[in-house]
Amino acid sequence: MKKIERGARFVAQNKELFRCPTCKAPFSKVEKTTVYCIKEHQFDLSKKGTLYLIKHGVKSDYDDDAMWQARRTLLQAGFFDPIIEEITNQIGKRAGIKVLDIGCGEGSVLQRLEHKQADSSDRYVGFDISKRAINLATQQETAGFFCIADLADLPFSEQSFDYLIDIFSPSAYSEFARVQKKSGKLLKVIPNANYLGELRRLLYAENDEKHEYSNQKVLDLFYKHYPKATSTRIKYGFSLDDALFTALMKMTPLQWGASAESLQKAASQPLKQITVDVTLLSGEK
């Protein structure tokens, strides 16, 4: 089956998950490769089986093919595997769950999560504001569906998802709460102070504001919206060869503000191991 046909079938079978980004009305039908809402606004599936569900033009610092490919290289090498393992532990073996991957990027997290859960009755939707990332995500071996969307104006129906997965993405908590089921959870991963600490110290001098990082403001905001939230720390070392270090440098926003001298120094002294130190926050309504 072609990707566009598979995408059309997914939307047709799961219309209740979506709403029109133009008028907020539910999707009503799929005719061939065109999706309609009940007010007859229409959206054409791309050849890759995706939908563009943003009302406005977008500009993103993350719309870079090489950066997304570097992220895929790292994640396929297992860079986030302990994080994904803990997410699956918290979800447990529930059949028929509906999962939304917020800022899914090139799709590796969604694909690996789906394969770990291994239940054909589950439904997975990933979205990102980057069209380049979503095009790359469609290369994954997954039954999930990908679309281009804005997290501040989600094209999804009220109380439609059991689990919202947010790994390092910004948050629009009012929108998240709207699409989160009453019994659902938001699982948000945020970096701790020593996340990629070796690279941060390599790129930035002690007197530079980027030499240190605090996630306190992000934590405070999460607990403001989810006062009864729980947290789990996940910390481990990840081994790097030269190719993986190059991919890490290309993937991380840490390199954006670094000086040319610091970047040259890092390239000549590639790290052999990096610390992954994050907190998984779990919030229920």
Side-chain angles (χ1 to χ4, degrees):
M1 182 181 292
K2 294 180 179 178
K3 291 179 181 179
I4 191 170
E5 295 169 345
R6 189 162 61 241
R9 185 176 66 175
F10 184 96
V11 177
Q13 293 176 345
N14 300 277
K15 295 190 297 295
E16 74 282 356
L17 296 179
F18 299 89
R19 76 175 193 181
C20 176
T22 302
C23 69
K24 314 306 183 190
F27 281 3
S28 61
K29 60 184 177 180
V30 179
E31 293 183 352
K32 294 185 178 179
T33 58
T34 300
V35 181
Y36 296 83
C37 78
I38 61 175
K39 294 187 178 180
E40 292 296 306
H41 294 117
Q42 62 187 65
F43 306 90
D44 294 325
L45 285 146
S46 73
K47 291 181 179 179
K48 296 180 182 294
T50 65
L51 283 173
Y52 189 91
L53 298 175
I54 299 180
K55 295 183 296 183
H56 53 81
V58 296
K59 184 178 180 181
S60 171
D61 292 332
Y62 294 91
D63 220 14
D64 183 300
D65 285 334
M67 186 201 73
W68 291 121
Q69 187 58 63
R71 183 180 190 266
R72 170 163 293 178
T73 297
L74 270 172
L75 266 60
Q76 294 294 337
F79 188 60
F80 279 177
D81 277 4
I83 299 173
I84 296 169
E85 184 69 31
E86 182 57 34
I87 289 173
T88 60
N89 289 341
Q90 295 211 16
I91 291 175
K93 289 298 182 180
R94 290 180 55 194
I97 59 172
K98 296 178 174 63
V99 179
L100 180 65
D101 188 354
I102 297 164
C104 68
E106 42 65 59
S108 289
V109 169
L110 182 145
Q111 184 263 348
R112 292 169 98 78
L113 180 60
E114 177 190 352
H115 281 222
K116 278 185 170 293
Q117 290 298 112
D119 192 309
S120 61
S121 66
D122 293 346
R123 295 292 179 266
Y124 294 84
V125 176
F127 78 87
D128 204 282
I129 203 168
S130 168
K131 185 177 180 180
R132 294 176 185 271
I134 293 300
N135 283 343
L136 193 57
T138 63
Q139 297 175 9
Q140 298 280 8
E141 292 185 11
T142 171
F145 180 81
F146 295 101
C147 58
I148 298 94
D150 184 352
L151 62 81
D153 188 15
L154 296 175
F156 307 112
S157 302
E158 284 75 7
Q159 298 183 35
S160 49
F161 290 95
D162 299 286
Y163 294 94
L164 280 63
I165 311 299
D166 177 347
I167 299 181
F168 298 167
S169 289
S171 294
Y173 288 113
S174 60
E175 279 293 270
F176 293 178
R178 182 180 63 79
V179 304
Q180 181 182 348
K181 288 185 179 181
K182 288 183 178 179
S183 60
K185 288 185 179 181
L186 169 60
L187 299 174
K188 181 175 176 64
V189 177
I190 63 172
N192 292 329
N194 200 36
Y195 177 71
L196 307 188
E198 298 90 346
L199 182 58
R200 184 180 292 276
R201 292 185 286 273
L202 183 61
L203 293 178
Y204 298 100
E206 288 188 23
N207 61 351
D208 193 296
E209 62 178 9
K210 290 189 176 182
H211 185 78
E212 303 291 340
Y213 170 76
S214 172
N215 63 13
Q216 194 59 51
K217 288 183 179 180
V218 180
L219 272 172
D220 291 345
L221 186 59
F222 190 91
Y223 279 104
K224 179 181 178 180
H225 289 273
Y226 295 92
K228 297 180 180 180
T230 60
S231 68
T232 304
R233 187 176 184 182
I234 307 166
K235 183 179 180 182
Y236 53 95
F238 185 78
S239 297
L240 301 166
D241 58 22
D242 289 353
L244 288 176
F245 178 74
T246 299
L248 177 66
M249 286 291 293
K250 185 63 181 176
M251 180 192 81
T252 176
L254 273 178
Q255 47 100 4
W256 289 351
S259 67
E261 181 182 0
S262 294
L263 291 172
Q264 186 175 8
K265 177 184 176 182
S268 65
Q269 302 175 15
L271 297 170
K272 300 302 181 184
Q273 182 157 312
I274 196 75
T275 297
V276 180
D277 188 1
V278 303
T279 293
L280 172 60
L281 298 165
S282 175
E284 298 182 54
K285 284 188 176 180

Tab-separated table of all heavy atoms in Angstrom, residues 15-16 18-30 35-43 157:
chain	number	residue	atom	x	y	z
A	15	LYS	N	-11.120	9.423	12.487
A	15	LYS	CA	-11.565	10.808	12.289
A	15	LYS	C	-11.819	11.520	13.609
A	15	LYS	O	-11.651	12.735	13.719
A	15	LYS	CB	-12.845	10.836	11.436
A	15	LYS	CG	-12.692	10.356	10.014
A	15	LYS	CD	-13.935	10.643	9.187
A	15	LYS	CE	-15.162	9.903	9.703
A	15	LYS	NZ	-15.028	8.429	9.590
A	16	GLU	N	-12.231	10.754	14.624
A	16	GLU	CA	-12.598	11.365	15.900
A	16	GLU	C	-11.417	12.017	16.612
A	16	GLU	O	-11.591	12.834	17.527
A	16	GLU	CB	-13.230	10.316	16.822
A	16	GLU	CG	-12.280	9.304	17.433
A	16	GLU	CD	-11.851	8.193	16.477
A	16	GLU	OE1	-12.346	8.157	15.337
A	16	GLU	OE2	-11.026	7.351	16.877
A	18	PHE	N	-9.269	14.066	15.183
A	18	PHE	CA	-8.886	15.311	14.524
A	18	PHE	C	-10.004	16.356	14.547
A	18	PHE	O	-11.189	16.020	14.609
A	18	PHE	CB	-8.517	15.034	13.062
A	18	PHE	CG	-7.360	14.098	12.895
A	18	PHE	CD1	-7.565	12.723	12.815
A	18	PHE	CD2	-6.063	14.568	12.816
A	18	PHE	CE1	-6.498	11.840	12.652
A	18	PHE	CE2	-4.992	13.706	12.654
A	18	PHE	CZ	-5.212	12.334	12.571
A	19	ARG	N	-9.586	17.618	14.440
A	19	ARG	CA	-10.543	18.686	14.184
A	19	ARG	C	-9.931	19.657	13.191
A	19	ARG	O	-8.695	19.750	13.051
A	19	ARG	CB	-10.940	19.407	15.469
A	19	ARG	CG	-9.904	20.372	16.017
A	19	ARG	CD	-10.435	21.128	17.217
A	19	ARG	NE	-9.577	22.265	17.559
A	19	ARG	CZ	-9.802	23.083	18.583
A	19	ARG	NH1	-10.850	22.880	19.374
A	19	ARG	NH2	-8.993	24.091	18.823
A	20	CYS	N	-10.764	20.396	12.515
A	20	CYS	CA	-10.333	21.303	11.459
A	20	CYS	C	-9.547	22.477	12.050
A	20	CYS	O	-10.034	23.144	12.966
A	20	CYS	CB	-11.559	21.807	10.709
A	20	CYS	SG	-11.195	23.047	9.443
A	21	PRO	N	-8.353	22.759	11.545
A	21	PRO	CA	-7.597	23.909	12.059
A	21	PRO	C	-8.207	25.249	11.648
A	21	PRO	O	-7.895	26.276	12.250
A	21	PRO	CB	-6.209	23.718	11.430
A	21	PRO	CG	-6.452	22.914	10.198
A	21	PRO	CD	-7.600	22.003	10.523
A	22	THR	N	-9.082	25.231	10.657
A	22	THR	CA	-9.696	26.476	10.183
A	22	THR	C	-10.908	26.874	11.018
A	22	THR	O	-11.024	28.016	11.475
A	22	THR	CB	-10.109	26.331	8.708
A	22	THR	OG1	-8.960	25.996	7.927
A	22	THR	CG2	-10.723	27.630	8.191
A	23	CYS	N	-11.823	25.921	11.243
A	23	CYS	CA	-13.085	26.249	11.924
A	23	CYS	C	-13.301	25.481	13.219
A	23	CYS	O	-14.321	25.689	13.899
A	23	CYS	CB	-14.261	26.021	10.974
A	23	CYS	SG	-14.535	24.265	10.599
A	24	LYS	N	-12.383	24.577	13.561
A	24	LYS	CA	-12.447	23.766	14.784
A	24	LYS	C	-13.541	22.692	14.747
A	24	LYS	O	-13.803	22.042	15.754
A	24	LYS	CB	-12.648	24.641	16.042
A	24	LYS	CG	-11.756	25.870	16.117
A	24	LYS	CD	-10.290	25.528	15.981
A	24	LYS	CE	-9.422	26.784	16.129
A	24	LYS	NZ	-8.014	26.542	15.779
A	25	ALA	N	-14.161	22.496	13.612
A	25	ALA	CA	-15.190	21.459	13.491
A	25	ALA	C	-14.535	20.096	13.301
A	25	ALA	O	-13.399	19.995	12.827
A	25	ALA	CB	-16.109	21.761	12.318
A	26	PRO	N	-15.221	19.011	13.654
A	26	PRO	CA	-14.644	17.668	13.486
A	26	PRO	C	-14.428	17.314	12.014
A	26	PRO	O	-15.114	17.836	11.137
A	26	PRO	CB	-15.713	16.761	14.106
A	26	PRO	CG	-16.570	17.644	14.936
A	26	PRO	CD	-16.548	18.981	14.284
A	27	PHE	N	-13.484	16.424	11.776
A	27	PHE	CA	-13.361	15.832	10.444
A	27	PHE	C	-14.577	14.928	10.214
A	27	PHE	O	-15.045	14.257	11.141
A	27	PHE	CB	-12.080	15.006	10.340
A	27	PHE	CG	-10.830	15.828	10.121
A	27	PHE	CD1	-10.871	17.206	10.089
A	27	PHE	CD2	-9.602	15.202	9.940
A	27	PHE	CE1	-9.717	17.957	9.884
A	27	PHE	CE2	-8.444	15.936	9.730
A	27	PHE	CZ	-8.504	17.320	9.701
A	28	SER	N	-15.055	14.917	8.977
A	28	SER	CA	-16.274	14.162	8.704
A	28	SER	C	-16.084	13.015	7.723
A	28	SER	O	-16.756	11.987	7.833
A	28	SER	CB	-17.361	15.100	8.158
A	28	SER	OG	-16.931	15.703	6.936
A	29	LYS	N	-15.157	13.161	6.758
A	29	LYS	CA	-15.019	12.110	5.755
A	29	LYS	C	-13.688	12.226	5.045
A	29	LYS	O	-13.016	13.269	5.080
A	29	LYS	CB	-16.152	12.201	4.723
A	29	LYS	CG	-16.188	13.528	3.966
A	29	LYS	CD	-17.388	13.604	3.022
A	29	LYS	CE	-17.439	14.978	2.333
A	29	LYS	NZ	-18.594	15.102	1.410
A	30	VAL	N	-13.314	11.128	4.414
A	30	VAL	CA	-12.127	11.089	3.565
A	30	VAL	C	-12.556	10.538	2.222
A	30	VAL	O	-13.091	9.423	2.134
A	30	VAL	CB	-11.017	10.198	4.166
A	30	VAL	CG1	-9.801	10.167	3.249
A	30	VAL	CG2	-10.628	10.691	5.560
A	35	VAL	N	-9.312	15.079	2.795
A	35	VAL	CA	-10.011	15.022	4.070
A	35	VAL	C	-10.917	16.244	4.182
A	35	VAL	O	-10.513	17.359	3.853
A	35	VAL	CB	-9.009	14.992	5.239
A	35	VAL	CG1	-9.740	14.910	6.576
A	35	VAL	CG2	-8.029	13.836	5.094
A	36	TYR	N	-12.144	16.024	4.673
A	36	TYR	CA	-13.110	17.106	4.825
A	36	TYR	C	-13.557	17.212	6.281
A	36	TYR	O	-13.722	16.197	6.965
A	36	TYR	CB	-14.360	16.851	3.973
A	36	TYR	CG	-14.112	16.825	2.484
A	36	TYR	CD1	-13.657	15.665	1.862
A	36	TYR	CD2	-14.350	17.955	1.693
A	36	TYR	CE1	-13.437	15.629	0.489
A	36	TYR	CE2	-14.137	17.924	0.327
A	36	TYR	CZ	-13.677	16.765	-0.269
A	36	TYR	OH	-13.462	16.726	-1.631
A	37	CYS	N	-13.798	18.456	6.726
A	37	CYS	CA	-14.475	18.644	8.000
A	37	CYS	C	-15.967	18.797	7.714
A	37	CYS	O	-16.387	18.857	6.552
A	37	CYS	CB	-13.921	19.859	8.753
A	37	CYS	SG	-14.520	21.468	8.161
A	38	ILE	N	-16.770	18.871	8.770
A	38	ILE	CA	-18.213	18.906	8.553
A	38	ILE	C	-18.656	20.206	7.881
A	38	ILE	O	-19.770	20.279	7.353
A	38	ILE	CB	-18.988	18.699	9.866
A	38	ILE	CG1	-18.663	19.799	10.873
A	38	ILE	CG2	-18.706	17.320	10.447
A	38	ILE	CD1	-19.496	19.715	12.135
A	39	LYS	N	-17.797	21.231	7.880
A	39	LYS	CA	-18.118	22.484	7.194
A	39	LYS	C	-17.466	22.550	5.818
A	39	LYS	O	-17.407	23.618	5.199
A	39	LYS	CB	-17.716	23.673	8.055
A	39	LYS	CG	-18.527	23.778	9.346
A	39	LYS	CD	-18.236	25.060	10.096
A	39	LYS	CE	-19.088	25.166	11.353
A	39	LYS	NZ	-18.819	26.416	12.107
A	40	GLU	N	-16.976	21.395	5.369
A	40	GLU	CA	-16.457	21.222	4.009
A	40	GLU	C	-15.099	21.891	3.756
A	40	GLU	O	-14.694	22.035	2.601
A	40	GLU	CB	-17.467	21.702	2.957
A	40	GLU	CG	-18.722	20.838	2.887
A	40	GLU	CD	-18.423	19.405	2.440
A	40	GLU	OE1	-17.806	19.216	1.391
A	40	GLU	OE2	-18.827	18.479	3.178
A	41	HIS	N	-14.388	22.320	4.791
A	41	HIS	CA	-12.986	22.682	4.581
A	41	HIS	C	-12.233	21.405	4.229
A	41	HIS	O	-12.521	20.339	4.791
A	41	HIS	CB	-12.395	23.316	5.837
A	41	HIS	CG	-13.003	24.645	6.174
A	41	HIS	ND1	-13.706	24.875	7.334
A	41	HIS	CD2	-13.030	25.809	5.476
A	41	HIS	CE1	-14.131	26.125	7.354
A	41	HIS	NE2	-13.735	26.716	6.237
A	42	GLN	N	-11.308	21.481	3.308
A	42	GLN	CA	-10.651	20.268	2.835
A	42	GLN	C	-9.136	20.364	2.929
A	42	GLN	O	-8.543	21.442	2.826
A	42	GLN	CB	-11.079	19.958	1.405
A	42	GLN	CG	-10.720	21.002	0.359
A	42	GLN	CD	-11.339	20.660	-0.983
A	42	GLN	OE1	-12.549	20.656	-1.150
A	42	GLN	NE2	-10.465	20.351	-1.945
A	43	PHE	N	-8.534	19.188	3.112
A	43	PHE	CA	-7.087	19.080	3.289
A	43	PHE	C	-6.599	17.876	2.504
A	43	PHE	O	-7.107	16.763	2.683
A	43	PHE	CB	-6.746	18.925	4.777
A	43	PHE	CG	-7.327	20.018	5.627
A	43	PHE	CD1	-8.602	19.870	6.179
A	43	PHE	CD2	-6.638	21.188	5.841
A	43	PHE	CE1	-9.165	20.878	6.942
A	43	PHE	CE2	-7.186	22.202	6.611
A	43	PHE	CZ	-8.459	22.051	7.156
A	157	SER	N	-9.077	16.735	18.538
A	157	SER	CA	-10.341	16.877	19.259
A	157	SER	C	-10.139	16.874	20.774
A	157	SER	O	-9.123	16.396	21.290
A	157	SER	CB	-11.286	15.737	18.876
A	157	SER	OG	-11.525	15.723	17.490
